[in-house]
Amino acid sequence: MELTLGLLLTLSFVVSLCALALLIWALVNRQMTIDQADAATIFTPGELGRADNEGSGKAARPGVHHFDPVRLGIDQSSATPVIFLFVAATVWLVVGSSFGLIASLKMHWPDWLAQAAALTFGRVRTLHLNIVIYGWLSQAGIACMLFIAPRIFHTKLRYPLFALYGGILWNVAIVLGGLALAGGWTDGEEWLEIPWQIDVLIALAGALFIVPVVATARARQVHHIYVSGWYFLASILWFPILFVIANIPGIHSGAEEATVNWWFAHNVLGLWLTPLGVGTAYYLIPKIIGKPIYSYAVSLLGFWGLALFYSQVGIHHLIGGPVPTWVVTLSVVHSVMMFIPVIAVAINQHVTVAQNLWALKSSLPLRFISFGALMYTLASFQGSIEALRSVNTITHFTQYTVGHAHLGAYAFVSLIMFGAAYQLLPRATGRGFVSPFMISLHFWLVVVGFAIYFFALSIGGVLQGLAMLDATKPFADSVRIVLPYLQARSVGGALMTLGHFVFAYNLLRLFMATSPTPSTVPAE
């Protein structure tokens, strides 16, 4: 056991050292010489004070925004891989959420579709998790990174074919992984179920994405790296480290394997999906509103806090497990310390939106993004509180944890990705979304559906946990008490899935538009 704990802490220390090395580099290169004026580096001359409502459902029109032919060329350099990744991500979203709805219905209709092994709960739920994480969230996040990074670095995307080939290889891996999971071939670890032989392809695809992002950063035409750039660069470097180390076969087993599993599972959310979501929001919120973020100094504090505190958070999922208490305590402490970077992000993003509430009325993409940013704050606060032993005693092994996971991965990251798609795709394609009503319908379906889903599982999970702790009650009571809340979960999940089909329909209408906007329409 000492070897595993030592290795785990060493790996976490290496991740933190990477963050520390970046911090030292930033200090040496005066990236930490904080000036509020640096928050305006994402704007071209004439853009400050101009709200960007394009992409809100109205067809883009020439002359609406400041024309910048250099920026237009920048967008064209990344358009092909961005469009490919968003389309592929949307397909996987529809497929993955359909599997999720089937898994949810099976919680209270256990005999439904039980005749086929591939449609049993264990396989369908696993398909749902891996498809939405790697097929939808990861690809949508990478698409946002590839589109935004050249803009904040003021230069064209370098080696875009690497990104396109990476996207193709990534999707081949997801197809093979889905077939393997449906056939019962799995590594048996949550978030790592895809067999490691197929995971090699995902790792190679990730390496292909690193090349254009890092090369573009090195070729940047601005000295200062905007805060979104820090999040993107960190995430694209952290993910391969986490993914490769966690997938090395034959090293761990039993409790050791569980420890490494949750080291990875939480870090892939906090050091991969979270930087993609937060970095996207940090760019799009001020760009849509037309004003810089509230406090640029605080934004950098949020990034470095995430980089230094997050890597050892995941072990609080093993409270009560056969691991040394001090390891869990260390994780709990780091979980609580996450209040610092989360509050930093909240101050910036929420205050910026609150000071410009008029923008929520005029921009449909901003509604998705600002809602997702708010959910990041709530999910992180809830996670830090849930890590406390007094709370975890009740919520552990209950549906409450499932609700919390969806608050982070869905309400936070997915909502930001929806808004980003509506904002960025008109610029990548030169076409506009034609129906504001359908975009608004998508928003309310997923928000209302998630609200039903989250509150049902949160309330039902607490009641379930209290019932399991009551020694006078049989275990069956804890199962019966949560049944109506599982039914409500399916109602919420059905609304969310319907919203995903509406989203796919909106994208289909975008690509089928017969009269694209003129190619001279500026990106912003």
Side-chain angles (χ1 to χ4, degrees):
M1 193 64 187
E2 290 77 15
L3 175 61
T4 297
L5 295 176
L7 178 59
L8 174 65
L9 293 176
T10 300
L11 296 178
S12 298
F13 182 65
V14 167
V15 174
S16 297
L17 275 183
C18 293
L20 183 60
L22 284 173
L23 177 59
I24 294 172
W25 180 90
L27 291 171
V28 171
N29 288 272
R30 299 183 181 179
Q31 294 292 328
M32 298 297 288
T33 303
I34 298 170
D35 187 341
Q36 183 62 21
D38 290 328
T41 59
I42 61 174
F43 299 97
T44 59
E47 283 186 331
L48 275 174
R50 296 188 178 209
D52 183 359
N53 301 327
E54 188 179 331
S56 62
K58 300 178 181 178
R61 301 184 304 277
V64 174
H65 305 291
H66 174 74
F67 180 70
D68 182 0
V70 176
R71 173 67 59 79
L72 184 61
I74 289 173
D75 291 350
Q76 289 176 335
S77 69
S78 61
T80 300
V82 166
I83 293 171
F84 175 84
L85 288 167
F86 263 128
V87 170
T90 304
V91 171
W92 288 120
L93 170 68
V94 171
V95 173
S97 55
S98 298
F99 281 127
L101 180 58
I102 294 173
S104 179
L105 291 170
K106 280 177 168 288
M107 296 292 286
H108 48 91
W109 293 347
D111 295 329
W112 181 52
L113 299 178
Q115 293 75 21
L119 294 177
T120 54
F121 176 82
R123 297 190 188 181
V124 170
R125 191 265 178 187
T126 303
L127 283 166
H128 161 68
L129 174 64
N130 286 269
I131 287 175
V132 296
I133 293 299
Y134 299 111
W136 155 242
L137 289 173
S138 293
Q139 290 198 95
I142 294 169
C144 291
M145 176 172 55
L146 292 175
F147 193 88
I148 295 172
R151 286 172 159 234
I152 60 179
F153 296 139
H154 293 196
T155 188
K156 293 183 178 181
L157 181 70
R158 298 305 195 268
Y159 309 113
L161 285 180
F162 276 67
L164 181 60
Y165 295 151
I168 294 172
L169 185 59
W170 188 285
N171 281 277
V172 169
I174 300 301
V175 170
L176 296 176
L179 293 174
L181 295 177
W185 180 24
T186 171
D187 282 348
E189 299 175 85
E190 192 165 9
W191 296 65
L192 289 167
E193 287 95 344
I194 295 177
W196 68 265
Q197 294 89 340
I198 299 174
D199 284 331
V200 171
L201 299 179
I202 296 179
L204 291 175
L208 290 175
F209 289 128
I210 293 175
V211 174
V213 175
V214 174
T216 304
R218 287 178 58 85
R220 69 185 185 278
Q221 299 301 306
V222 290
H223 173 70
H224 182 77
I225 297 178
Y226 182 69
V227 62
S228 294
W230 285 110
Y231 280 104
F232 291 152
L233 288 169
S235 65
I236 201 67
L237 295 176
W238 280 332
F239 177 74
I241 296 174
L242 297 169
F243 194 76
V244 170
I245 291 175
N247 275 289
I248 298 176
I251 296 181
H252 309 291
S253 61
E256 300 175 356
E257 191 172 10
T259 306
V260 175
N261 181 196
W262 278 107
W263 169 80
F264 169 81
H266 227 291
N267 280 335
V268 80
L269 175 62
L271 298 180
W272 171 235
L273 298 180
T274 292
L276 293 176
V278 173
T280 299
Y282 258 127
Y283 177 80
L284 290 179
I285 288 176
K287 286 294 285 186
I288 293 173
I289 294 174
K291 298 179 182 179
I293 56 176
Y294 177 72
S295 172
Y296 194 67
V298 172
S299 72
L300 295 176
L301 172 64
F303 168 74
W304 292 110
L306 175 74
L308 296 172
F309 296 153
Y310 199 93
S311 67
Q312 299 181 56
V313 164
I315 311 305
H316 71 246
H317 281 271
L318 297 178
I319 290 178
V323 295
T325 302
W326 69 267
V327 177
V328 176
T329 299
L330 180 65
S331 179
V332 172
V333 171
H334 276 253
S335 299
V336 174
M337 290 172 70
M338 279 300 298
F339 273 110
I340 298 173
V342 172
I343 290 174
V345 172
I347 289 173
N348 258 318
Q349 298 185 353
H350 305 336
V351 172
T352 302
V353 173
Q355 291 179 337
N356 301 275
L357 291 177
W358 54 267
L360 291 174
K361 182 178 180 180
S362 60
S363 174
L364 289 172
L366 184 61
R367 297 180 195 178
F368 286 92
I369 297 166
S370 60
F371 183 87
L374 180 61
M375 293 303 102
Y376 169 63
T377 303
L378 297 180
S380 299
F381 284 2
Q382 184 190 40
S384 296
I385 294 171
E386 191 178 354
L388 301 175
R389 286 183 172 86
S390 57
V391 177
N392 198 275
T393 299
I394 298 173
T395 61
H396 205 38
F397 302 122
T398 71
Q399 296 295 323
Y400 184 94
T401 303
V402 179
H404 168 66
H406 283 76
L407 180 61
Y410 186 82
F412 158 42
V413 186
S414 284
L415 266 290
I416 289 178
M417 294 302 119
F418 290 141
Y422 286 128
Q423 186 70 14
L424 300 182
L425 281 176
R427 293 146 182 79
T429 63
R431 302 169 184 264
F433 288 99
V434 297
S435 176
F437 171 78
M438 294 302 291
I439 298 177
S440 182
L441 176 63
H442 173 209
F443 176 79
W444 287 112
L445 281 172
V446 297
V447 168
V448 173
F450 175 75
I452 296 172
Y453 186 103
F454 176 74
F455 285 110
L457 291 187
S458 296
I459 296 171
V462 171
L463 295 177
Q464 181 185 19
L466 293 174
M468 287 193 293
L469 290 173
D470 190 344
T472 65
K473 294 181 178 180
F475 179 79
D477 284 2
S478 68
V479 177
R480 283 190 289 266
I481 200 172
V482 80
L483 181 59
Y485 300 99
L486 293 176
Q487 294 168 337
R489 161 187 170 160
S490 294
V491 173
L495 292 176
M496 293 155 63
T497 302
L498 179 59
H500 302 162
F501 278 92
V502 173
F503 175 61
Y505 171 78
N506 289 336
L507 264 61
L508 183 63
R509 288 286 303 275
L510 172 76
F511 292 113
M512 291 180 63
T514 57
S515 55
T517 57
S519 60
T520 56
V521 175
E524 292 276 277

